[in-house]
Short mmCIF file of all heavy atoms in Angstrom, two decimals:
data_model
loop_
_atom_site.label_atom_id
_atom_site.label_comp_id
_atom_site.label_asym_id
_atom_site.label_seq_id
_atom_site.Cartn_x
_atom_site.Cartn_y
_atom_site.Cartn_z
N ILE A 189 14.03 -27.33 -40.02
CA ILE A 189 14.53 -26.43 -38.93
C ILE A 189 13.49 -25.96 -37.97
O ILE A 189 13.76 -25.02 -37.17
CB ILE A 189 15.27 -25.21 -39.54
CG1 ILE A 189 14.23 -24.35 -40.45
CG2 ILE A 189 16.42 -25.58 -40.48
CD1 ILE A 189 14.76 -23.02 -40.92
N LYS A 190 12.27 -26.53 -38.06
CA LYS A 190 11.13 -25.99 -37.24
C LYS A 190 11.51 -25.84 -35.77
O LYS A 190 11.34 -24.77 -35.22
CB LYS A 190 9.98 -26.88 -37.44
CG LYS A 190 9.08 -26.44 -38.67
CD LYS A 190 7.75 -27.30 -38.65
CE LYS A 190 6.85 -26.75 -39.74
NZ LYS A 190 5.57 -27.51 -39.81
N LEU A 191 11.88 -26.90 -35.11
CA LEU A 191 12.01 -26.83 -33.71
C LEU A 191 13.06 -25.85 -33.24
O LEU A 191 12.75 -25.00 -32.33
CB LEU A 191 12.43 -28.28 -33.15
CG LEU A 191 12.44 -28.36 -31.57
CD1 LEU A 191 11.10 -28.03 -30.93
CD2 LEU A 191 13.00 -29.71 -31.15
N SER A 192 14.23 -25.82 -33.86
CA SER A 192 15.29 -24.84 -33.50
C SER A 192 14.76 -23.41 -33.84
O SER A 192 15.06 -22.51 -33.00
CB SER A 192 16.58 -25.11 -34.31
OG SER A 192 17.12 -26.41 -34.01
N TYR A 193 14.08 -23.23 -34.95
CA TYR A 193 13.60 -21.87 -35.32
C TYR A 193 12.59 -21.42 -34.35
O TYR A 193 12.58 -20.24 -33.88
CB TYR A 193 13.05 -21.92 -36.73
CG TYR A 193 12.83 -20.58 -37.30
CD1 TYR A 193 13.86 -19.85 -37.86
CD2 TYR A 193 11.54 -20.03 -37.30
CE1 TYR A 193 13.64 -18.61 -38.35
CE2 TYR A 193 11.28 -18.81 -37.80
CZ TYR A 193 12.33 -18.09 -38.31
OH TYR A 193 12.11 -16.81 -38.86
N TYR A 194 11.67 -22.31 -33.89
CA TYR A 194 10.65 -21.93 -32.97
C TYR A 194 11.26 -21.48 -31.62
O TYR A 194 10.83 -20.50 -30.97
CB TYR A 194 9.63 -23.08 -32.71
CG TYR A 194 8.83 -23.40 -33.91
CD1 TYR A 194 8.24 -24.68 -34.03
CD2 TYR A 194 8.50 -22.48 -34.87
CE1 TYR A 194 7.40 -24.96 -35.17
CE2 TYR A 194 7.73 -22.75 -35.97
CZ TYR A 194 7.18 -24.08 -36.06
OH TYR A 194 6.37 -24.29 -37.17
N LYS A 195 12.31 -22.23 -31.19
CA LYS A 195 12.95 -21.88 -29.92
C LYS A 195 13.61 -20.43 -30.08
O LYS A 195 13.46 -19.64 -29.13
CB LYS A 195 14.11 -22.85 -29.60
CG LYS A 195 13.56 -24.21 -29.17
CD LYS A 195 14.69 -25.20 -28.88
CE LYS A 195 14.16 -26.50 -28.38
NZ LYS A 195 15.29 -27.44 -28.10
N LEU A 196 14.24 -20.21 -31.18
CA LEU A 196 14.89 -18.86 -31.35
C LEU A 196 13.82 -17.76 -31.39
O LEU A 196 14.03 -16.70 -30.84
CB LEU A 196 15.73 -18.86 -32.72
CG LEU A 196 16.93 -19.72 -32.71
CD1 LEU A 196 17.55 -19.79 -34.14
CD2 LEU A 196 18.03 -19.13 -31.74
N LYS A 197 12.75 -18.01 -32.07
CA LYS A 197 11.66 -16.92 -32.19
C LYS A 197 11.01 -16.72 -30.88
O LYS A 197 10.61 -15.57 -30.54
CB LYS A 197 10.70 -17.33 -33.23
CG LYS A 197 11.27 -17.36 -34.68
CD LYS A 197 11.82 -16.08 -35.09
CE LYS A 197 10.77 -15.01 -35.45
NZ LYS A 197 11.38 -13.80 -36.04
N CYS A 198 10.82 -17.77 -30.04
CA CYS A 198 10.25 -17.63 -28.72
C CYS A 198 11.17 -16.78 -27.84
O CYS A 198 10.71 -15.87 -27.18
CB CYS A 198 10.08 -18.99 -28.09
SG CYS A 198 9.35 -18.94 -26.45
N LEU A 199 12.45 -17.05 -27.92
CA LEU A 199 13.38 -16.23 -27.18
C LEU A 199 13.45 -14.80 -27.67
O LEU A 199 13.57 -13.82 -26.90
CB LEU A 199 14.79 -16.87 -27.21
CG LEU A 199 14.96 -18.15 -26.45
CD1 LEU A 199 16.26 -18.85 -26.75
CD2 LEU A 199 14.76 -17.98 -24.98
N GLU A 200 13.35 -14.60 -28.94
CA GLU A 200 13.30 -13.26 -29.55
C GLU A 200 12.12 -12.48 -29.05
O GLU A 200 12.23 -11.32 -28.65
CB GLU A 200 13.31 -13.35 -31.06
CG GLU A 200 13.34 -11.94 -31.72
CD GLU A 200 13.17 -11.96 -33.26
OE1 GLU A 200 13.04 -13.11 -33.69
OE2 GLU A 200 13.24 -10.86 -33.84
N LEU A 201 10.95 -13.14 -28.92
CA LEU A 201 9.78 -12.50 -28.42
C LEU A 201 9.93 -12.15 -26.95
O LEU A 201 9.59 -10.98 -26.64
CB LEU A 201 8.58 -13.46 -28.56
CG LEU A 201 7.19 -12.87 -28.20
CD1 LEU A 201 6.81 -11.68 -29.05
CD2 LEU A 201 6.12 -13.98 -28.25
N LEU A 202 10.40 -12.97 -26.14
CA LEU A 202 10.69 -12.68 -24.74
C LEU A 202 11.73 -11.57 -24.60
O LEU A 202 11.60 -10.73 -23.69
CB LEU A 202 11.10 -13.91 -23.95
CG LEU A 202 10.10 -15.03 -23.90
CD1 LEU A 202 10.63 -16.25 -23.15
CD2 LEU A 202 8.80 -14.51 -23.24
N LEU A 203 12.68 -11.52 -25.48
CA LEU A 203 13.73 -10.47 -25.46
C LEU A 203 13.03 -9.12 -25.81
O LEU A 203 13.35 -8.08 -25.17
CB LEU A 203 14.84 -10.79 -26.52
CG LEU A 203 16.04 -9.86 -26.43
CD1 LEU A 203 16.78 -9.99 -25.09
CD2 LEU A 203 17.01 -10.29 -27.60
N PHE A 204 12.15 -9.19 -26.73
CA PHE A 204 11.35 -8.02 -27.11
C PHE A 204 10.54 -7.49 -25.87
O PHE A 204 10.46 -6.33 -25.56
CB PHE A 204 10.39 -8.31 -28.23
CG PHE A 204 9.38 -7.29 -28.53
CD1 PHE A 204 9.68 -6.00 -29.04
CD2 PHE A 204 7.95 -7.58 -28.34
CE1 PHE A 204 8.66 -5.09 -29.25
CE2 PHE A 204 7.06 -6.65 -28.53
CZ PHE A 204 7.34 -5.42 -29.08
N PHE A 205 9.94 -8.45 -25.15
CA PHE A 205 9.22 -8.06 -23.95
C PHE A 205 10.13 -7.40 -22.86
O PHE A 205 9.70 -6.56 -22.15
CB PHE A 205 8.58 -9.30 -23.30
CG PHE A 205 7.44 -9.95 -24.06
CD1 PHE A 205 6.94 -11.16 -23.74
CD2 PHE A 205 6.89 -9.29 -25.16
CE1 PHE A 205 5.91 -11.81 -24.41
CE2 PHE A 205 5.79 -9.84 -25.91
CZ PHE A 205 5.35 -11.07 -25.52
N SER A 206 11.37 -7.88 -22.79
CA SER A 206 12.30 -7.40 -21.78
C SER A 206 12.63 -5.90 -21.95
O SER A 206 13.06 -5.25 -20.90
CB SER A 206 13.57 -8.21 -21.74
OG SER A 206 14.39 -7.97 -22.88
N ILE A 207 12.45 -5.35 -23.15
CA ILE A 207 12.83 -3.96 -23.37
C ILE A 207 11.61 -3.15 -23.67
O ILE A 207 11.72 -1.95 -24.04
CB ILE A 207 13.90 -3.86 -24.48
CG1 ILE A 207 13.35 -4.41 -25.79
CG2 ILE A 207 15.15 -4.49 -24.10
CD1 ILE A 207 14.20 -4.05 -27.00
N THR A 208 10.46 -3.70 -23.62
CA THR A 208 9.24 -2.95 -24.05
C THR A 208 8.52 -2.45 -22.77
O THR A 208 8.31 -3.17 -21.84
CB THR A 208 8.27 -3.91 -24.78
OG1 THR A 208 8.95 -4.31 -25.90
CG2 THR A 208 6.99 -3.13 -25.20
N LYS A 209 8.16 -1.16 -22.85
CA LYS A 209 7.38 -0.54 -21.72
C LYS A 209 5.89 -0.70 -22.16
O LYS A 209 5.36 0.02 -23.06
CB LYS A 209 7.71 0.89 -21.61
CG LYS A 209 6.96 1.58 -20.42
CD LYS A 209 7.43 3.03 -20.24
CE LYS A 209 6.69 3.70 -19.15
NZ LYS A 209 6.75 3.07 -17.88
N PHE A 210 5.18 -1.60 -21.51
CA PHE A 210 3.78 -1.82 -21.87
C PHE A 210 2.91 -0.79 -21.16
O PHE A 210 3.11 -0.39 -20.03
CB PHE A 210 3.34 -3.23 -21.41
CG PHE A 210 4.06 -4.35 -22.11
CD1 PHE A 210 5.01 -5.10 -21.45
CD2 PHE A 210 3.87 -4.56 -23.54
CE1 PHE A 210 5.70 -6.12 -22.15
CE2 PHE A 210 4.49 -5.54 -24.17
CZ PHE A 210 5.43 -6.33 -23.49
N THR A 211 1.86 -0.34 -21.85
CA THR A 211 0.99 0.63 -21.33
C THR A 211 -0.37 -0.01 -20.94
O THR A 211 -0.81 -0.94 -21.57
CB THR A 211 0.68 1.74 -22.36
OG1 THR A 211 0.19 1.18 -23.55
CG2 THR A 211 1.99 2.53 -22.63
N VAL A 212 -0.93 0.57 -19.90
CA VAL A 212 -2.28 0.07 -19.46
C VAL A 212 -3.31 0.63 -20.37
O VAL A 212 -3.40 1.83 -20.63
CB VAL A 212 -2.54 0.47 -18.00
CG1 VAL A 212 -3.97 0.02 -17.57
CG2 VAL A 212 -1.51 -0.15 -17.10
N HIS A 213 -4.23 -0.23 -20.92
CA HIS A 213 -5.23 0.28 -21.83
C HIS A 213 -6.54 0.51 -20.99
O HIS A 213 -7.00 -0.27 -20.16
CB HIS A 213 -5.58 -0.86 -22.84
CG HIS A 213 -4.46 -1.11 -23.69
ND1 HIS A 213 -3.97 -0.36 -24.81
CD2 HIS A 213 -3.51 -2.17 -23.68
CE1 HIS A 213 -2.94 -0.84 -25.32
NE2 HIS A 213 -2.60 -2.01 -24.69
N GLU A 214 -7.14 1.68 -21.28
CA GLU A 214 -8.30 2.11 -20.52
C GLU A 214 -9.63 1.98 -21.33
O GLU A 214 -10.69 1.76 -20.80
CB GLU A 214 -8.18 3.60 -20.09
CG GLU A 214 -7.00 3.83 -19.17
CD GLU A 214 -7.20 3.16 -17.80
OE1 GLU A 214 -8.24 2.76 -17.48
OE2 GLU A 214 -6.12 2.94 -17.13
#
Side-chain angles (χ1 to χ4, degrees):
I189 62 170
K190 271 188 175 180
L191 185 61
S192 296
Y193 191 80
Y194 292 158
K195 289 180 178 182
L196 289 171
K197 296 301 285 187
C198 178
L199 291 171
E200 182 184 4
L201 183 62
L202 295 178
L203 190 62
F204 168 69
F205 292 170
S206 73
I207 61 170
T208 301
K209 182 177 177 61
F210 296 110
T211 57
V212 175
H213 300 281
E214 299 294 341

